[in-house]
Amino acid sequence: MTAIRETLMRALSGTTGPSSDFDFGGAPAPAEVALRPAGVLAAFDAADGRLVLTKRASSLRHHPGQIALPGGKVDPGDADEVAAALREAHEEVGLDPARVEVLGTMPPHRTITGFAMTPVLALIHGPFIPIPEAGEVEEVFTVPFAHVADPASYHIEGRIWRGARRDYYVAPWGPYYIWGATARVLHSLATRISTRLSA
């Protein structure tokens, strides 16, 4: 537990600059607009370092079947992005906030859907049995810390979207195709970990 916590804390002390879904060019970023705040929880098991991820329900209108970190937009009742991430994780996967140790946040990631998505790094203490939210989450699974933390796990792919090529990071794990904003945020974390470990 101590090694994982120390590694994440060192990563939080590093910098990677802001990230966005428009990092690789292709379709230009839209003009400056007010982005909606959101928080996502990158929660690692304190005992073995495995990261909790979700597979969104295939029936959802937005991003069906995609792999995501638990989280969502900041609601009026949320104090901030951290509170939103904790609330959403409780709703989506049944994670009790009392079991979560928040370590800190990384810079917001600008999504193509108009959100400023703040990644919240955290540890889960004690046993956690996920409860997927019906109609929202199809599956909850975990990925080893070594896969998440290694920059070599990530590579760039692309597709044509709205008439222009859009490139993005992917970090497949078994049957799970981790890509887009989730992979971009995790790649930023892996870069920070790699940089701090080699310093």
Side-chain angles (χ1 to χ4, degrees):
M1 176 182 76
T2 301
I4 294 167
R5 189 180 192 281
E6 289 179 353
T7 298
L8 292 173
M9 292 302 294
R10 283 198 301 268
L12 284 168
S13 70
T15 58
T16 49
S19 65
S20 125
D21 285 347
F22 304 96
D23 282 349
F24 299 107
E32 289 301 316
V33 294
L35 300 176
R36 294 168 289 176
V40 293
L41 192 66
F44 296 86
D45 188 294
D48 61 16
R50 296 184 72 90
L51 173 68
V52 175
L53 290 171
T54 69
K55 182 177 181 181
R56 291 169 56 84
S58 57
S59 59
L60 291 175
R61 179 178 178 183
H62 298 292
H63 311 295
Q66 288 189 11
I67 304 304
L69 292 160
K73 64 183 177 64
V74 176
D75 282 349
D78 296 324
D80 53 22
E81 290 84 353
V82 173
L86 291 171
R87 174 183 55 76
E88 288 279 358
H90 185 238
E91 293 172 2
E92 291 180 10
V93 303
L95 178 57
D96 183 353
R99 293 191 177 275
V100 179
E101 177 190 2
V102 173
L103 302 179
T105 62
M106 289 172 51
H109 172 87
R110 180 180 182 178
T111 72
I112 201 168
T113 49
F115 286 97
M117 186 178 81
T118 297
V120 179
L121 300 191
L123 292 176
I124 302 171
H125 294 281
F128 165 53
I129 300 175
I131 305 172
E133 183 180 11
E136 296 286 334
V137 176
E138 184 174 306
E139 184 180 355
V140 182
F141 65 98
T142 61
V143 176
F145 186 80
H147 181 72
V148 174
D150 185 358
S153 298
Y154 304 81
H155 64 275
I156 297 171
E157 292 184 0
R159 65 178 62 168
I160 301 300
W161 186 79
R162 294 186 178 176
R165 180 179 172 85
R166 180 168 299 282
D167 292 334
Y168 45 82
Y169 279 110
V170 302
W173 172 254
Y176 304 107
Y177 185 71
I178 305 168
W179 72 287
T182 300
R184 181 69 182 89
V185 164
L186 295 178
H187 178 266
S188 291
L189 175 60
T191 300
R192 284 171 174 246
I193 290 174
S194 176
T195 300
R196 298 303 293 174
L197 288 178
S198 62

